Amino acid sequence: MINATPFSSTIVLRALRAVRLGLLFLLGAALLLGGHPMDALAKTKGKSSVPRPEPDLKILSLHAAPMPYRPQDGPFHFIATVQLPKEVDEQLMLEVSALVTSSSMTSLRFLSIRQPVNEHAQTATSAAGDTPQKHVQVDLVWDGLDHNKQQVPVGSYEYEVRVKLLSNGEKGQRTQMLSWPKRGKFVVKN
């Protein structure tokens, strides 16, 4: 009778050594190609060391009130002063939006206003004598209700306000320019 155990265990040991050697070879190649082995396997988005310039469409100021907010006392206001680009197409729409969220994300509400870009625009003269900047003041009103039209519970909430310039295209409205967002927090009390 022939005992097959020593022969098959030798084959298994050789196979394990070959796999281990192959993995070490791949790990070494990855280290030679550029740093951490997982970096060689993962696709990464390149980061530029140069900061992005602020867009010409800006939220100059944002006033959120009343603080703290009591829904029984009336609505909550997001009053944004928006600076328009120096040259802006009259056909564009201005959209100001706010997203209100609770820390648990169980309560949220999206508010939005769209209007022609030059509606209620005011021209402010610059001190340097440059082309005057146009400003628009927009008031977003929140009624204290969540996405299910229920009054939000007492607690801490966050908001993010953005401004967009939209153009009408064949397939609907498209974003032409987007401002940097303004963020903040407020408290809802009884």
Side-chain angles (χ1 to χ4, degrees):
M1 182 165 164
I2 300 175
N3 190 353
T5 306
F7 180 71
S8 43
S9 65
T10 304
I11 292 175
V12 170
L13 287 175
R14 286 185 183 170
L16 286 173
R17 285 187 192 134
V19 169
R20 207 177 313 153
L21 184 60
L23 288 174
L24 285 173
F25 177 73
L26 285 173
L27 197 60
L31 286 171
L32 286 174
L33 290 176
H36 193 272
M38 296 313 282
D39 290 344
L41 301 174
K43 287 185 179 180
T44 58
K45 186 176 181 181
K47 290 186 178 181
S48 174
S49 60
V50 179
R52 289 186 342 204
E54 187 173 9
D56 291 336
L57 181 65
K58 301 175 187 177
I59 301 173
L60 293 178
S61 67
L62 178 65
H63 180 71
M67 297 276 193
Y69 176 53
R70 291 177 177 82
Q72 65 271 17
D73 292 344
F76 189 85
H77 294 269
F78 297 99
I79 301 170
T81 302
V82 177
Q83 177 181 299
L84 300 173
K86 289 181 181 179
E87 294 181 16
V88 63
D89 185 358
E90 301 286 327
Q91 301 298 316
L92 295 177
M93 294 292 285
L94 178 70
E95 178 186 85
V96 180
S97 62
L99 179 65
V100 178
T101 57
S102 64
S103 55
S104 65
M105 297 298 283
T106 56
S107 179
L108 55 97
R109 184 73 186 269
F110 183 76
L111 309 168
S112 177
I113 290 179
R114 285 186 183 173
Q115 65 186 39
V117 72
N118 285 325
E119 187 174 305
H120 308 295
Q122 300 171 350
T123 304
T125 55
S126 66
D130 297 336
T131 305
Q133 293 289 142
K134 290 184 179 179
H135 299 259
V136 177
Q137 191 165 21
V138 178
D139 184 4
L140 281 173
V141 179
W142 179 48
D143 55 8
L145 302 179
D146 65 10
H147 58 288
N148 293 321
K149 303 291 184 193
Q150 302 295 316
Q151 186 171 330
V152 296
V154 171
S156 179
Y157 290 82
E158 298 178 2
Y159 62 84
E160 178 178 291
V161 176
R162 288 186 181 265
V163 178
K164 294 179 185 178
L165 286 178
L166 304 169
S167 65
N168 287 319
E170 292 176 6
K171 298 181 180 178
Q173 292 188 326
R174 295 183 51 192
T175 301
Q176 296 299 312
M177 191 176 292
L178 181 67
S179 73
W180 285 352
K182 294 280 186 183
R183 297 179 177 97
K185 296 180 180 185
F186 66 97
V187 175
V188 173
K189 293 187 173 183
N190 281 332

